Every structure is written in structure tokens, then in C-alpha cells.
Amino acid sequence: MVSGEVFRGTKQKDTETDIHLLTNIGLLKISKDNIASIEEIGQRTTNRYSSNYNVNKNKSFSIGEEQLIDLFFDPTAYTLPKSTFYISGLSFGFGVTDKMQVTTKWINYLWGDFNLRVKNQLFLVGNWEQQQALSIGAHYHTRWSKPASYNNNDDDDDYDNNDHYDDEYDDETNMIEIFGAYTYSTAREGLNGRTSHTFGGNFKHAFYDNPLNYYRVYYGLDVDITPKVKMVSEVFYDPNYTEFWKMMDFDESTENNPLHFDFGFIYAINESFRIGLHFQQPWLAFYWKI
């Protein structure tokens, strides 16, 4: 339940608004709006001699063990629950409340870039069958430098033959990123997990004397394959992002494609440890959540 209670029993009836559950305290009529998640733990079989449950090896579920707060790099509208902590190979963070989380890229500390990313969930409506959420946030860096995967935007073409500007963009500077994400999630038919759609975008402003601005818009799809395996895919438009294969291509005459794709999966080894593999660098992802 949304309140945190757990009820176990036999489903007697399922309507558009309610579930009738026969429990050891009697028959309960439960509004679907109050249900956070639901699992089928077994099938009841009856014969002339007995009535019992057979545990289904591939048990049905409405929510998998992993609810994504990010599509590898780009945010969804979901946040970490209150007092939940995670650490990965690149970052760590925690849930301040159920609607606000704070994260940071700890790997950037190695070169003195103190950075904080705050995401605040403006709303989360619906139930386990259908949910909508919207979040906004900001990520501030004190010593940000332009990544190798980012080429200069069109406004910088005039500076290519000017050593002053080339040197300037090799230095570190303050940078702020503003982002937003909307996620629409529905339960798959027959309690086979969830399908979630995320639409989002971000805008980065680097505070050079001649500022650099970058933007990205994206659509992400994640689907529960099993309770432990989630497929994740994304298409994003970013005219400044350069994929690894292009960075390794020394023929600079090749035009950079602004449309990019990512595809992979996340596997929950247990309730705390997850690993993932995807198309875009750095390809391998892993994190602990406690």
C-alpha cells in the first residue's frame, strides 16, 4: 500500500477501481489508488481432496526491483526514497525526502571540481496501474572543463583560428546545468512489470569570458523484462555530443550526427547491487543502493 502496509490474500474480484482481497482478517475492498505495488506469489489450485497454492516460478509483479532515477546519464522524473543512499563508479547521492535527492560526481573531486546535483519532484500522481511524475533540477560545477565528447557549437567557429580562445576553453570554469524530466509509467498486462516513457531535456551554461552553451532533448523507454532485468533505451538530440567511434576517427571532415541512440539493460543482482551494460561510453555501469 502507499501507506506502507502489506496485505496478503486471495484476489476474489478485480474492477476498474478496486481489488477485493480475501485475507486472514476478512474480505477487503481496496482502492487501486491506494496500492503502491502488487505481486502474484502463487496460483490457487483446487481438487476434490484439497485446496492449496502452487508457487509460480515466474511470479507476476507490477513493479520490478529497480525503479530508474536515471537513463544511465539522463534523469527520469523519479527520485530516491527518503534516507536511501547509493554509490556508483562515478557518483553517489541520497534521498533527502521522498521528493528531493542530492547527488554528486565524486570522480570529479580528483581534479578539484566540487559539484552538486539537486533533483526535486514536483508531482507524482496515479497508482500502480498508471503513474505520471515531473521533476526539475540543477547541477552546479566549480571547475568544469569541456569533455572530449563535446565539440564546439556553431557560435565558436569564429574562434577556431584564435589561440586566445583555444587556450581559454582548455581551462576549467564554473558551469550550471538546468534539467527537467516527465515520466509516464504503466503496468504491463497480466502483472508483467512496467513500461515507462521519459521525456526530458537539459541546458548547460559554462561561464567562460565567451560563454559556451549546450543543450540536449531526449526520449527514454525502460521495460521490465523480469523482476530483476530491465531493458533501457534512449534517443537524444545533442548537436555537440560526439560518440567514441567518432572521437577515434581522425578524419575531421566527417560530419557529426546530432541524433544519438543508447540501448542496454540493468540487472539487479540483489536488493542492493545493480549492474548495467549499454551502447554509449563508458558502457558498463554498476552501483550499490542501501
Side-chain angles (χ1 to χ4, degrees):
M1 308 300 291
V2 174
S3 63
E5 296 176 285
V6 177
F7 294 106
R8 180 176 297 195
T10 307
K11 185 171 67 174
Q12 303 291 304
K13 187 177 180 181
D14 190 343
T15 71
E16 290 186 1
T17 58
D18 306 295
I19 286 179
H20 296 218
L21 194 68
L22 181 60
T23 72
N24 57 4
I25 60 173
L27 183 63
L28 302 179
K29 181 181 178 182
I30 303 173
S31 170
K32 289 184 176 180
D33 289 338
N34 296 326
I35 298 175
S37 65
I38 185 170
E39 254 181 29
E40 182 182 279
I41 59 173
Q43 295 280 349
R44 184 172 185 174
T45 60
T46 305
N47 57 40
R48 59 183 297 183
Y49 302 108
S50 65
S51 175
N52 54 29
Y53 287 95
N54 291 329
V55 175
N56 184 354
K57 183 179 180 180
N58 298 315
K59 66 182 181 181
S60 299
F61 60 101
S62 66
I63 295 179
E65 294 190 17
E66 176 64 16
Q67 186 180 59
L68 298 183
I69 59 172
D70 293 293
L71 299 162
F72 295 119
F73 294 113
D74 294 314
T76 71
Y78 292 121
T79 54
L80 288 168
K82 181 180 178 180
S83 301
T84 299
F85 175 82
Y86 91 92
I87 183 168
S88 74
L90 299 174
S91 63
F92 69 83
F94 57 92
V96 180
T97 69
D98 285 336
K99 291 185 174 294
M100 186 176 76
Q101 69 176 41
V102 175
T103 60
T104 181
K105 291 184 176 180
W106 67 264
I107 194 70
N108 290 27
Y109 295 175
L110 299 178
W111 53 88
D113 177 26
F114 176 75
N115 65 97
L116 282 178
R117 183 189 193 219
V118 179
K119 179 162 68 168
N120 186 60
Q121 190 177 79
L122 299 183
F123 68 78
L124 173 64
V125 296
N127 55 32
W128 66 272
E129 285 190 307
Q130 191 176 95
Q131 273 186 359
Q132 298 181 70
L134 177 66
S135 290
I136 59 173
H139 194 171
Y140 183 72
H141 296 254
T142 60
R143 295 193 67 197
W144 181 85
S145 57
K146 188 179 71 172
S149 59
Y150 272 25
N151 56 38
N152 284 338
N153 53 20
D154 294 337
D155 294 339
D156 303 325
D157 290 344
D158 295 338
Y159 308 146
D160 287 345
N161 296 320
N162 189 316
D163 292 338
H164 169 73
Y165 291 116
D166 288 343
D167 291 342
E168 177 187 0
Y169 294 138
D170 287 337
D171 295 334
E172 294 83 13
T173 188
N174 294 343
M175 188 275 282
I176 188 167
E177 174 189 356
I178 307 297
F179 62 86
Y182 166 80
T183 299
Y184 175 71
S185 177
T186 59
R188 299 176 68 193
E189 186 177 354
L191 286 184
N192 287 313
R194 306 190 69 77
T195 299
S196 297
H197 306 267
T198 295
F199 301 87
N202 63 54
F203 174 80
K204 295 182 176 72
H205 180 81
F207 292 87
Y208 291 106
D209 290 339
N210 298 281
L212 293 179
N213 296 313
Y214 301 105
Y215 69 93
R216 172 182 293 192
V217 291
Y218 59 91
Y219 162 74
L221 171 69
D222 62 268
V223 181
D224 289 319
I225 306 302
T226 75
K228 290 181 175 292
V229 179
K230 186 182 289 286
M231 182 278 292
V232 184
S233 62
E234 183 182 3
V235 55
F236 58 96
Y237 181 88
D238 187 336
N240 299 107
Y241 181 78
T242 305
E243 295 178 348
F244 182 78
W245 67 269
K246 179 63 170 65
M247 288 190 289
M248 296 296 100
D249 184 358
F250 296 101
D251 181 8
E252 296 184 358
S253 64
T254 305
E255 185 177 354
N256 193 51
N257 187 351
L259 195 63
H260 307 275
F261 301 90
D262 201 0
F263 180 82
F265 72 91
I266 290 178
Y267 176 68
I269 294 177
N270 53 45
E271 292 184 358
S272 300
F273 186 58
R274 274 80 165 155
I275 61 172
L277 185 67
H278 62 118
F279 173 72
Q280 296 289 349
Q281 68 268 23
W283 306 291
L284 183 66
F286 62 90
Y287 68 95
W288 291 269
K289 187 165 66 174
I290 56 176

